[in-house]
Amino acid sequence: PVRGALDFKVKDCPVCAVMKRNRPKKPVSLHVEEKRQWKLWEKVFSDSSGKTRVKSFQGNRYYSVFVCARSGRKLFFAHKKKSHYPLVYFKFCARVGRYPKLLVTNQAGEILSK
C-alpha cells in the first residue's frame, strides 16, 4: 500500500455508520391534498437573515424571504436594520395583496420584539 493510505473504505467505518443512523431525517414535501387546502399566499414561510459584511448599493445589510406553501414562489426583501422586519412584512402584504392566514417563522427576536 501507498504510505499514509487507509485500508478500509468509508462504508466500513463504524463511526460513519453510527452517525448516518443518528442523522435527522430530511423533511418530506407536502402532499398535493395539503397544498390544495391553501390558496396562494395563505400559508407563508418566512425567514430573515443578516448582517452581511458588505452593504448593498442601497445600504442594506439584512434580507427577508417569504415562501408560498402552495406554489413555492419566493419573495425577497432587503432592509437596513433587523428591526425593520415589521415594515418588510407590511411591504410583503401590500405586494401580495392580502395578509397570510398562517405565517410560519422561527422564533427570532425581530419577529417577536415589540
Side-chain angles (χ1 to χ4, degrees), residues 44-47 66 85 103-108 111-112:
V44 176
F45 297 95
S46 175
D47 197 12
F66 297 88
Y85 182 83
L103 180 65
V104 181
T105 64
N106 57 352
Q107 294 185 354
I111 298 167
L112 298 176

Side-chain angles (χ1 to χ4, degrees), residues 1-111:
V2 181
R3 184 176 172 183
L6 300 174
D7 289 339
F8 64 91
K9 305 274 187 209
V10 174
K11 66 180 180 177
D12 300 329
C13 174
V15 174
C16 298
V18 171
M19 292 304 291
K20 286 182 181 178
R21 189 176 60 214
N22 293 337
R23 181 175 36 193
K25 303 293 182 203
K26 292 182 180 178
V28 295
S29 62
L30 292 174
H31 296 290
V32 177
E33 297 83 23
E34 292 177 24
K35 284 185 178 181
R36 286 185 184 154
Q37 75 178 0
W38 299 100
K39 294 181 183 175
L40 286 176
W41 300 108
E42 276 190 348
K43 182 178 181 182
V44 176
F45 297 95
S46 175
D47 197 12
S48 188
S49 186
K51 179 176 190 179
T52 58
R53 288 188 205 168
V54 181
K55 289 182 183 179
S56 68
F57 287 120
Q58 293 84 17
N60 299 318
R61 286 187 179 250
Y62 298 90
Y63 63 91
S64 298
V65 179
F66 297 88
V67 182
C68 177
R70 179 173 176 139
S71 65
R73 294 182 195 165
K74 298 170 187 73
L75 288 178
F76 168 88
F77 296 94
H79 44 103
K80 292 184 180 182
K81 294 182 179 180
K82 191 184 257 189
S83 60
H84 290 171
Y85 182 83
L87 300 173
V88 171
Y89 174 72
F90 288 132
K91 191 186 293 187
F92 159 75
C93 292
R95 175 97 175 262
V96 173
R98 63 170 22 181
Y99 291 103
K101 288 185 177 178
L102 181 63
L103 180 65
V104 181
T105 64
N106 57 352
Q107 294 185 354
E110 68 270 8
I111 298 167

